Amino acid sequence: MSIACRELILGGQKSGKSRRGEQIAAAWLSQSPAHRAVLIATAHAHDDEMRARIERHRSDRAARVPAMATVEEPVALAQAIRQHGSAQTLVLVDCLTLWLTNLLMPVNGPTDATPSVDSAVSDLLDAIKESAGPLVLVGNEIGLGVIPLGREVRAFVDALGRLNQEVAGACDRVTMMVAGLPLTLKGPE
């Protein structure tokens, strides 16, 4: 498996996005004993179902890629990428969709410390371009279905579509996952 310097992995729910990111991290780790991998998890455990889902992901990830460290950062994503990335460290971000949700719909409501979406996305794009080592970003493609009801939901779908386009433009490779199968949309396979 070739490892792009910067890769965006998109797909629907349960399409194999996270597993693909883990496979890339495992391949990176197998290439050299000097290589490290760090997962930046963006989810908030705001209810029992989400807590159980996060715990299941932790357990599954630990079994599949035991050498990968995990950092939880729901909002300050660009800062976390800068802090944990290096030429010898692959950073896996899972996922951009939850990160955007945290910005647009903070669990405890917005505060003075909540960055604007535009400034956070701009900072993220800078961090992607500046990354010294491999960077793999996972996100959902949710714009393939029917037009959702409700102004807020449509605004979220629009914001995620714009985010995906901007991140795809900053990445060397873009992969679409469908039924566990990768389809390269941009860059080398």
Side-chain angles (χ1 to χ4, degrees), residues 121-144:
V121 169
S122 178
D123 197 24
L124 173 63
L125 293 171
D126 288 344
I128 291 169
K129 292 171 188 169
E130 297 162 4
S131 65
L135 177 62
V136 178
L137 303 118
V138 174
N140 290 72
E141 174 51 69
I142 63 172
L144 298 173

Side-chain angles (χ1 to χ4, degrees), residues 7-10 17-22 25 37-43 61 68-71 73-82 84-85 90-100 124 127-128 131 134-140 163 167:
E7 180 169 355
L8 173 62
I9 302 172
L10 294 172
K17 304 177 305 291
S18 296
R19 182 147 316 177
R20 177 73 175 180
E22 292 169 3
V38 175
L39 169 83
I40 300 174
T42 62
R61 201 170 39 247
M68 184 165 56
T70 299
V71 173
E73 181 45 65
V75 176
L77 183 55
Q79 178 183 348
I81 290 169
R82 288 182 180 107
H84 297 284
L90 179 140
V91 173
L92 171 59
V93 174
D94 198 355
C95 89
L96 293 176
T97 309
L98 289 172
W99 172 72
L100 183 64
L124 173 63
I128 291 169
S131 65
L135 177 62
V136 178
L137 303 118
V138 174
N140 290 72
L163 173 64
V167 172

